[in-house]
Amino acid sequence: MDAETGEITLPSSQDSNRAATNADALVISTDLDHPANRISELCRLFYTLGWVTGTGGGVSIRYGPHIYLAPSGVQKERMQPLDMFVMDYATRQYLRRPPVLKPSACTPLFLAAFTRRNAGCCIHTHSQWAVLVTLICGAGLQNPQKKGVFEIKEIEQIKGISRGGSGSDEIAEGGRKLGNLGFHDTMRIPIIDNTAHEEDLRETLEKAIEEWPETCAVLVKRHGVYVWGKDVAQAKTQAESLDYLFQLAVEMHKLGLKWVHE
Amino acid sequence: MDAETGEITLPSSQDSNRAATNADALVISTDLDHPANRISELCRLFYTLGWVTGTGGGVSIRYGPHIYLAPSGVQKERMQPLDMFVMDYATRQYLRRPPVLKPSACTPLFLAAFTRRNAGCCIHTHSQWAVLVTLICGAGLQNPQKKGVFEIKEIEQIKGISRGGSGSDEIAEGGRKLGNLGFHDTMRIPIIDNTAHEEDLRETLEKAIEEWPETCAVLVKRHGVYVWGKDVAQAKTQAESLDYLFQLAVEMHKLGLKWVHE
Amino acid sequence: MDAETGEITLPSSQDSNRAATNADALVISTDLDHPANRISELCRLFYTLGWVTGTGGGVSIRYGPHIYLAPSGVQKERMQPLDMFVMDYATRQYLRRPPVLKPSACTPLFLAAFTRRNAGCCIHTHSQWAVLVTLICGAGLQNPQKKGVFEIKEIEQIKGISRGGSGSDEIAEGGRKLGNLGFHDTMRIPIIDNTAHEEDLRETLEKAIEEWPETCAVLVKRHGVYVWGKDVAQAKTQAESLDYLFQLAVEMHKLGLKWVHE
Amino acid sequence: MDAETGEITLPSSQDSNRAATNADALVISTDLDHPANRISELCRLFYTLGWVTGTGGGVSIRYGPHIYLAPSGVQKERMQPLDMFVMDYATRQYLRRPPVLKPSACTPLFLAAFTRRNAGCCIHTHSQWAVLVTLICGAGLQNPQKKGVFEIKEIEQIKGISRGGSGSDEIAEGGRKLGNLGFHDTMRIPIIDNTAHEEDLRETLEKAIEEWPETCAVLVKRHGVYVWGKDVAQAKTQAESLDYLFQLAVEMHKLGLKWVHE
């Protein structure tokens, strides 16, 4: 493997076509649940949900020793398995780089969820409901004392959100059982400030992940949300449950209702 | 049949594969209207309507001596016939339990509609319109005297809702003909408080069903709605008509309009 | 043909199967634009647009000497050509009545558009935007002097609406050329009160059609809208343009903007 | 080629069928990215997004020496390659005119983007969010000093919008590098008044293009928006990003939030 490019090359060959063929094998599968197929399918779904309009947002899956990443700047509803980047998790080298395409600027942020939370899948959306929630919080319209966190409680859908962010079967340090939030729990999602360049979010995102050990998501002000889970199913259903809660929260705010009532 | 697990086992065989094969026959059919196929199709439809986001909500069909139930925690738009639980209605034993999957926590609530209203199908959604209606009512924003019931009248779509909840051809006790609500009737849907655990809703749900003999649905505060009908078609169209009325009611409220005018 | 039922029966046969076969020929065609196919397709489309939720609404096409009608109470997204009623336009006798199904209560209202405006297609929706417009008008929230008409002007989409209601190439009595509304024209759609039974709308609907010779639609308060056109394409695109204008009007009202500015 | 009609005719033949065959070759291709196929696909997509309701809006692609144009008045979700008009870019003669259909009234406006910005694709929508933004601006509700321009800043999705309107790799006159807007940049889209006839927009649209060298779009008051890009992908993703920003801006306005904060 070339240390600079991360391409797989066989020792006995400089044949770049042959290298490409080997790298392509990483993304070609008849298994619909293979990450290269699943990311393509998720991108099409997220497009219809309004989460990845205009090439915004992204999704990444950790699969054995590899990380699969949708590329930057590609129309999400036209995503194909051959568009995928594949990175070696241990060395952070790209094993496959589609020609022409650029890797996603979200890559360091996805890696933060993989390494610090042992996540298996991470989803980034530009959902307008997420952005509106950060604006309402940031302006102190719901709670002037808490501009940096989205809080809501006593909505059934909160039960779709895990504590600790990757798996309901985990045990937290100290032996406390984790699992999903209950109806009477207060769900708290931290909000970090946006930066001019997406990769510069890494530091504050990692800090938020450290400081909020129970969160499975981080909101980015005027930008969107990062959500993760132990696998694709948990990341996706948590992203859906959160988006539901963001939308409901905006509608509640319009009706003059508090997200956390006394 | 094993009394403990409810699995079908042939007397002459302990072969679990063979038992599985027999149980699978309960959910495999080329008939698109077979309940195992119909539930899968309804789950996909309800996903697109935003009713079962993030594995929320559920649906159950009574079919001859059996109850078909979608499992808990499965992504609704990926539901397959082989994911279905099948229960014997008389004994409440599971005739089929898909491995790995968990039965829906809604099961006792669906059974309440089947037994107390002779329903043939029961649908549970987390529709945001249902939740917002319970919040508006609960805060007394439309009618401070009636926080525990959603009332609306003189909207054409009300005519899609049956009196008595399961069939327009029934005769109520005392001989009064039931049938669907008229345009000038006031539709009333009771609202019950949510509980920490879904199965604990059973008691108050059954009480609401008893106390409101004409309702075909019960709203659950900050949670969603249970709707039933004599068959799939009636349950589904009533769920749609109610959701339409919930959404319209929220929009009317935003415009400062009363749901029940004098 | 039987005068009572309108079924086609051959003189030499009392074979009801054979009669059925002949009547079925009226709705079986490989031509996707045949009215039995087109109504089925439109019902599926209108379902996704939220116009015919819970079996509400309907559509009818005049085709040569016949009227094709979607039945009452059928889930619109499951409509099939064999569900269609076919009426002889001249005699108003049903040439085909699907067993079990009931004819639409909208039938006399569709006939009003066919006979009084020479329409080729008529669409009835329960669109919430239509209902909300009737509520805003009826409460005098936009113009207390004009509670019985929806007026809007200087929105580009108005140019999708014809004067006279059936065809932009017609000449009005007196020789005035009709054609579509212009950007600076005021679009006016009359609003009639709803009645307990849909068929009782006929009289006021016919009156509104007479009194508003330039309208291609009538709004029904707290109910929905009837829209027609010279053919399917015009009826459908006018229904879309009107729904766009109803939605825009509701949003404008929320923002405090007048539909007709001075 | 006939100078009057622009039809291709072979010198040795007056056979109109043969001419038609040749012109049809311009729109028949098995390549899904061929402009005749791509426009049809985009029209279906834009219909589902609510951008081209009731035959409103349009799209055009520049392809080598030719301009491909969707016709006027055709239901966008039923658009087919054989419905396309093809114009010779140099001579502005139609090389293909489908019988019965009329060329789009947007044609001179699309040409303005092609000639003055070297665009490869231009999209026109009647999106309600675009119309509402022009109404909010025009009424001075956000900024009474700036009724003729939509301004927003510090929303991540702004980064999906290019400076200069056709290509992030271009160099502006004077050597300043263009590229996309940054998060801290203020996006400005000029708003021009609507005219009674769409073709009469050409003069003010061209003027706006000249006066706003960095814009990739022009809003038309009470009408919609024109968006262009160097190719289909850029035009489409910019149209999506703008529509996202228009919708977010309307929702922000409802919540009392400023689009450009100090």
Side-chain angles (χ1 to χ4, degrees):
Chain A
M1 195 172 71
D2 186 291
E4 189 72 30
T5 66
E7 299 288 340
I8 290 175
T9 46
L10 300 179
S12 58
S13 170
Q14 297 297 321
D15 181 344
S16 67
N17 284 334
R18 195 163 170 190
T21 306
N22 276 286
D24 284 358
L26 291 167
V27 298
I28 297 173
S29 169
T30 56
D31 178 3
L32 294 179
D33 285 329
H34 184 279
N37 295 326
R38 198 78 174 93
I39 289 178
S40 304
E41 182 199 342
L42 288 172
C43 284
R44 281 191 291 276
L45 173 64
F46 296 168
Y47 181 79
T48 67
L49 296 174
W51 289 1
V52 293
T53 301
T55 84
V59 55
S60 178
I61 295 175
R62 185 162 61 84
Y63 182 67
H66 301 152
I67 306 288
Y68 283 74
L69 295 138
S72 172
V74 171
Q75 297 168 76
K76 294 292 192 289
E77 79 283 11
R78 292 167 72 90
M79 196 72 73
Q80 300 296 336
L82 286 168
D83 297 328
M84 296 301 135
F85 283 75
V86 185
M87 178 185 271
D88 182 69
Y89 187 38
T91 64
R92 308 292 156 89
Q93 301 294 328
Y94 284 108
L95 304 177
R96 182 172 192 276
R97 296 177 71 108
V100 185
L101 298 176
K102 280 187 287 190
S104 171
C106 306
T107 305
L109 309 170
F110 293 145
L111 286 168
F114 295 147
T115 56
R116 290 168 187 263
R117 287 296 170 86
N118 197 29
C121 176
C122 189
I123 293 165
H124 170 46
T125 88
H126 285 193
S127 164
Q128 300 206 2
W129 305 113
V131 173
L132 289 168
V133 158
T134 69
L135 290 167
I136 292 169
C137 289
L141 299 181
Q142 274 275 328
N143 186 341
Q145 265 70 53
K146 298 201 178 175
K147 294 187 176 182
V149 57
F150 169 60
E151 289 191 346
I152 194 165
K153 68 181 291 190
E154 295 186 0
I155 300 295
E156 180 73 8
Q157 196 74 33
I158 290 173
K159 291 161 73 172
I161 302 298
S162 65
R163 272 201 201 86
S166 40
S168 55
D169 306 329
E170 286 179 35
I171 306 295
E173 287 172 46
R176 182 166 59 83
K177 190 160 182 325
L178 292 171
N180 278 26
L181 292 171
F183 177 68
H184 295 296
D185 292 325
T186 301
M187 185 186 81
R188 293 186 177 87
I189 308 291
I191 306 172
I192 61 174
D193 280 336
N194 199 24
T195 50
H197 300 286
E198 197 146 15
E199 51 269 36
D200 297 336
L201 280 173
R202 188 173 63 88
E203 200 173 330
T204 48
L205 187 97
E206 289 184 345
K207 189 157 164 282
I209 289 176
E210 295 297 314
E211 289 177 359
W212 298 82
E214 293 204 348
T215 195
C216 67
V218 175
L219 282 158
V220 185
K221 199 171 165 183
R222 295 174 167 273
H223 180 154
V225 68
Y226 283 84
V227 191
W228 57 85
K230 63 181 170 181
D231 53 23
V232 173
Q234 197 195 36
K236 173 180 165 289
T237 58
Q238 290 192 149
E240 287 177 355
S241 291
L242 280 172
D243 207 56
Y244 172 102
L245 290 164
F246 297 151
Q247 180 176 3
L248 187 71
V250 172
E251 293 299 319
M252 286 175 72
H253 184 77
K254 284 187 195 168
L255 295 167
L257 297 166
K258 286 289 173 194
W259 299 338
V260 179
H261 56 105
E262 302 315 310
Chain B
M1 194 172 71
D2 185 290
E4 188 72 28
T5 65
E7 301 289 339
I8 289 175
T9 46
L10 299 179
S12 59
S13 170
Q14 298 296 323
D15 182 344
S16 67
N17 284 333
R18 195 165 170 189
T21 305
N22 277 287
D24 285 358
L26 290 167
V27 298
I28 296 173
S29 169
T30 56
D31 177 3
L32 295 179
D33 285 328
H34 184 279
N37 295 326
R38 198 78 174 94
I39 289 178
S40 304
E41 182 199 341
L42 288 172
C43 284
R44 280 191 291 276
L45 172 65
F46 295 169
Y47 180 79
T48 67
L49 296 174
W51 288 1
V52 294
T53 301
T55 84
V59 56
S60 178
I61 295 174
R62 185 162 61 85
Y63 183 67
H66 301 151
I67 306 288
Y68 283 73
L69 295 138
S72 172
V74 171
Q75 298 167 76
K76 294 291 191 291
E77 81 282 12
R78 292 167 73 89
M79 196 72 73
Q80 300 295 336
L82 285 167
D83 297 328
M84 297 300 134
F85 284 74
V86 185
M87 178 185 271
D88 183 68
Y89 187 38
T91 65
R92 307 290 157 93
Q93 302 294 328
Y94 283 108
L95 304 178
R96 182 171 193 276
R97 295 177 70 108
V100 185
L101 298 176
K102 281 187 286 190
S104 171
C106 306
T107 305
L109 309 171
F110 293 144
L111 285 167
F114 295 147
T115 56
R116 289 168 188 263
R117 286 299 168 85
N118 198 29
C121 176
C122 189
I123 294 165
H124 170 46
T125 89
H126 285 192
S127 164
Q128 299 207 2
W129 306 113
V131 174
L132 289 169
V133 157
T134 70
L135 290 167
I136 292 169
C137 288
L141 298 181
Q142 273 276 326
N143 186 340
Q145 264 71 54
K146 297 202 178 176
K147 294 187 178 182
V149 57
F150 168 62
E151 289 190 346
I152 194 166
K153 67 180 291 190
E154 296 186 356
I155 300 293
E156 180 73 8
Q157 196 75 33
I158 291 173
K159 291 161 73 172
I161 302 299
S162 66
R163 271 200 201 88
S166 40
S168 54
D169 306 328
E170 284 180 36
I171 306 295
E173 286 172 47
R176 182 168 56 84
K177 189 158 183 327
L178 292 170
N180 277 27
L181 291 171
F183 177 68
H184 296 295
D185 290 326
T186 301
M187 185 186 81
R188 293 187 176 88
I189 308 290
I191 305 172
I192 62 174
D193 280 336
N194 199 24
T195 52
H197 300 285
E198 196 146 17
E199 50 271 35
D200 297 337
L201 280 173
R202 189 174 62 89
E203 200 173 332
T204 47
L205 187 96
E206 289 184 344
K207 189 156 164 284
I209 289 177
E210 294 298 314
E211 289 177 359
W212 297 83
E214 293 204 347
T215 194
C216 68
V218 175
L219 282 158
V220 186
K221 199 172 165 183
R222 296 173 166 273
H223 180 154
V225 67
Y226 283 85
V227 190
W228 58 85
K230 63 180 170 179
D231 53 23
V232 173
Q234 198 194 37
K236 172 180 165 290
T237 58
Q238 290 192 150
E240 287 176 354
S241 291
L242 280 172
D243 207 57
Y244 172 103
L245 290 163
F246 297 152
Q247 180 176 2
L248 187 72
V250 173
E251 293 298 319
M252 286 175 72
H253 185 77
K254 285 187 195 167
L255 296 168
L257 298 165
K258 287 288 174 195
W259 300 338
V260 179
H261 56 104
E262 303 315 310
Chain C
M1 196 172 71
D2 186 291
E4 189 71 29
T5 66
E7 301 287 340
I8 289 176
T9 46
L10 300 178
S12 58
S13 169
Q14 298 296 321
D15 181 345
S16 66
N17 285 334
R18 194 164 171 191
T21 305
N22 276 286
D24 284 358
L26 291 167
V27 297
I28 296 173
S29 169
T30 56
D31 177 4
L32 294 179
D33 285 328
H34 183 279
N37 295 326
R38 197 79 175 93
I39 288 177
S40 304
E41 182 199 341
L42 288 173
C43 284
R44 281 191 291 276
L45 173 65
F46 295 168
Y47 180 79
T48 68
L49 296 174
W51 290 0
V52 294
T53 302
T55 84
V59 55
S60 178
I61 295 174
R62 185 161 61 85
Y63 184 67
H66 300 151
I67 306 287
Y68 283 74
L69 295 138
S72 173
V74 171
Q75 298 167 75
K76 293 292 191 291
E77 80 283 11
R78 293 168 71 90
M79 196 72 72
Q80 300 296 335
L82 285 168
D83 296 329
M84 297 300 135
F85 283 75
V86 185
M87 178 184 272
D88 183 68
Y89 187 38
T91 64
R92 306 293 155 89
Q93 302 294 328
Y94 283 108
L95 304 178
R96 182 173 192 274
R97 295 178 70 111
V100 184
L101 298 176
K102 280 187 287 191
S104 171
C106 307
T107 305
L109 309 171
F110 293 144
L111 286 168
F114 295 146
T115 56
R116 290 170 187 261
R117 287 297 169 86
N118 198 30
C121 176
C122 189
I123 294 165
H124 170 46
T125 90
H126 285 192
S127 165
Q128 299 206 3
W129 306 113
V131 173
L132 289 169
V133 157
T134 69
L135 290 166
I136 292 169
C137 289
L141 298 181
Q142 274 274 328
N143 186 341
Q145 264 71 53
K146 297 200 177 176
K147 294 187 177 181
V149 58
F150 168 61
E151 287 190 347
I152 193 165
K153 67 181 291 191
E154 295 187 358
I155 300 293
E156 180 72 8
Q157 196 75 32
I158 291 173
K159 291 160 72 171
I161 302 299
S162 66
R163 271 199 200 89
S166 40
S168 56
D169 307 329
E170 284 179 36
I171 305 296
E173 287 173 46
R176 183 166 58 82
K177 190 159 183 325
L178 291 170
N180 276 26
L181 291 171
F183 177 68
H184 296 295
D185 291 326
T186 300
M187 186 187 79
R188 294 188 176 87
I189 308 289
I191 305 172
I192 62 175
D193 280 336
N194 200 25
T195 52
H197 300 287
E198 196 147 15
E199 51 270 35
D200 297 336
L201 280 173
R202 189 173 62 89
E203 199 173 332
T204 47
L205 187 96
E206 289 183 344
K207 190 157 164 281
I209 289 176
E210 296 297 314
E211 289 177 357
W212 298 83
E214 293 205 346
T215 195
C216 67
V218 175
L219 283 157
V220 185
K221 200 171 165 184
R222 295 173 167 274
H223 181 153
V225 65
Y226 284 86
V227 190
W228 56 85
K230 62 181 170 178
D231 53 23
V232 173
Q234 197 194 37
K236 173 181 164 289
T237 57
Q238 290 192 150
E240 288 177 354
S241 291
L242 280 172
D243 206 55
Y244 172 103
L245 291 163
F246 297 152
Q247 180 176 1
L248 187 72
V250 173
E251 293 299 319
M252 286 175 72
H253 185 77
K254 285 186 194 167
L255 296 167
L257 297 166
K258 287 288 174 195
W259 300 337
V260 179
H261 56 105
E262 302 317 310
Chain D
M1 195 173 72
D2 185 291
E4 189 72 29
T5 65
E7 300 289 339
I8 290 175
T9 45
L10 300 178
S12 58
S13 169
Q14 298 297 321
D15 181 344
S16 65
N17 284 334
R18 194 163 171 190
T21 305
N22 277 285
D24 283 358
L26 291 167
V27 298
I28 297 173
S29 169
T30 56
D31 177 3
L32 294 178
D33 286 328
H34 184 279
N37 295 327
R38 197 80 174 94
I39 288 177
S40 304
E41 182 200 341
L42 288 172
C43 284
R44 281 191 290 275
L45 173 64
F46 296 168
Y47 181 78
T48 68
L49 296 174
W51 289 1
V52 294
T53 303
T55 85
V59 55
S60 178
I61 295 176
R62 186 162 61 85
Y63 184 66
H66 301 150
I67 305 288
Y68 283 74
L69 295 137
S72 172
V74 171
Q75 297 167 76
K76 294 291 191 291
E77 81 283 11
R78 292 167 72 90
M79 196 71 73
Q80 300 295 336
L82 286 168
D83 296 329
M84 296 301 136
F85 283 74
V86 186
M87 179 185 271
D88 182 68
Y89 186 38
T91 65
R92 307 293 156 89
Q93 301 294 329
Y94 283 108
L95 304 177
R96 183 172 192 275
R97 296 178 71 110
V100 184
L101 299 176
K102 279 187 287 189
S104 171
C106 307
T107 305
L109 308 170
F110 293 145
L111 286 168
F114 295 148
T115 55
R116 290 169 187 261
R117 287 295 169 86
N118 198 30
C121 176
C122 188
I123 294 165
H124 170 46
T125 90
H126 286 192
S127 165
Q128 299 206 2
W129 305 113
V131 174
L132 289 168
V133 158
T134 69
L135 290 166
I136 292 169
C137 289
L141 299 180
Q142 273 275 328
N143 186 341
Q145 264 71 53
K146 297 200 179 176
K147 294 188 177 180
V149 57
F150 169 61
E151 289 190 345
I152 194 165
K153 67 180 291 190
E154 295 186 0
I155 299 295
E156 181 72 8
Q157 196 74 32
I158 291 173
K159 291 160 72 173
I161 302 298
S162 65
R163 272 201 200 87
S166 39
S168 56
D169 306 329
E170 284 179 37
I171 306 294
E173 286 172 46
R176 183 165 59 82
K177 191 159 183 323
L178 292 170
N180 276 26
L181 291 171
F183 177 68
H184 296 295
D185 291 326
T186 300
M187 186 186 80
R188 293 187 177 89
I189 308 290
I191 305 172
I192 61 175
D193 279 337
N194 199 24
T195 51
H197 300 287
E198 197 147 14
E199 50 270 36
D200 297 336
L201 281 173
R202 189 173 63 88
E203 199 173 333
T204 47
L205 187 97
E206 290 185 345
K207 189 157 165 281
I209 289 177
E210 296 296 314
E211 289 177 357
W212 298 83
E214 293 204 348
T215 194
C216 68
V218 175
L219 282 158
V220 185
K221 200 171 165 183
R222 296 173 166 274
H223 181 153
V225 67
Y226 283 86
V227 190
W228 57 86
K230 62 181 170 181
D231 52 24
V232 173
Q234 197 195 37
K236 172 180 164 291
T237 58
Q238 291 192 148
E240 287 176 356
S241 291
L242 281 172
D243 207 55
Y244 172 103
L245 291 163
F246 297 151
Q247 180 176 2
L248 187 71
V250 173
E251 292 300 319
M252 286 175 72
H253 185 77
K254 285 187 193 167
L255 295 167
L257 298 165
K258 286 288 174 195
W259 300 338
V260 178
H261 57 105
E262 303 315 311

